[in-house]
Amino acid sequence: MIGRLNHIAIAVPDLAAAAAKYRDRLGASVGAPQALPEHGVSVIFIDTGNTKVELLEPLGANSPIAAFLEKNPAGGMHHLCFEVPDILAAIKTLEGQGARVLGDGQPRTGAHGLPVIFLHPKDFDGTLIELEQVGR
Ligand SMILES: C[C@H](C(=O)O)C(=O)SCCNC(=O)CCNC(=O)[C@H](O)C(C)(C)COP(=O)(O)OP(=O)(O)OC[C@H]1O[C@@H](n2cnc3c(N)ncnc32)[C@H](O)[C@@H]1OP(=O)(O)O
Ligand SMILES: [Co+2]
């Protein structure tokens, strides 16, 4: 079902400081900040050639990453995003197997303007999984 690793996301307490570290210390190709109020985060993507790193900072009062950062105040690995060709088919298969699709269970438009869903970390070995429909 899954294809390429689209991105690895890291939750950070200070987006600008984290981006500067990747740019200035690691010489990475760092994108512009993007506010995604409908997702409760601000993001910066870093292109590493074979995949991307998504830096995440909470945005607004009900950010889904607020509790994570309270538990991990220095930041930490937050989710993996894999590409899928058909997200509705993926939801059907996964829900049929008892996996929990977060939120209302429907795809939402993600940072790349494409449909995304999230799967509960407790169903995938303590790792939050994002699926993004690419190439349809
Ligand atoms: C748009 C953009 C994009 O790329 O397109 C994005 O990525 S947006 C990225 C931000 N959006 C999202 O993450 C949306 C989906 N996420 C969510 O709905 C939520 O973050 C959540 C339900 C996974 C967790 O919410 P929460 O932390 O407030 O809830 P709880 O505190 O009850 O957490 C339940 C249990 O899951 C654990 N837990 C929480 N977050 C994570 C995580 N990222 N990785 C692994 N485990 C995690 C907690 O430690 C806890 O474990 P224990 O019980 O053992 O203590
Ligand atoms: Co993501």
Side-chain angles (χ1 to χ4, degrees):
M1 178 197 292
I2 59 169
R4 290 179 66 249
L5 176 64
N6 185 277
H7 59 265
I8 297 165
I10 303 175
V12 301
D14 183 335
L15 190 60
K21 241 176 272 172
Y22 275 82
R23 186 179 54 238
D24 302 337
R25 295 191 195 167
L26 296 176
S29 173
V30 173
Q34 231 181 311
L36 300 171
E38 63 282 14
H39 287 281
V41 290
S42 296
V43 306
I44 286 179
F45 279 95
I46 297 165
D47 192 350
T48 65
N50 59 342
T51 189
K52 295 183 276 291
V53 173
E54 177 185 45
L55 301 176
L56 296 170
E57 182 187 67
L59 176 64
N62 298 310
S63 175
I65 70 169
F68 181 92
L69 274 171
E70 267 164 37
K71 285 183 195 161
N72 306 279
M77 288 255 317
H78 187 260
H79 64 265
L80 298 179
C81 176
F82 296 104
E83 297 177 1
V84 293
D86 183 340
I87 207 158
L88 295 179
I91 292 171
K92 202 171 166 192
T93 303
L94 286 157
E95 285 186 336
Q97 295 163 354
R100 286 166 286 177
V101 177
L102 292 167
D104 64 4
Q106 294 303 309
R108 303 169 67 195
T109 302
H112 306 118
L114 295 167
V116 302
I117 58 164
F118 290 87
L119 301 169
H120 201 288
K122 296 296 181 194
D123 293 340
F124 286 92
D125 310 290
T127 303
L128 176 62
I129 306 273
E130 179 181 3
L131 299 179
E132 177 174 316
Q133 179 174 288
V134 173
R136 254 173 97 85

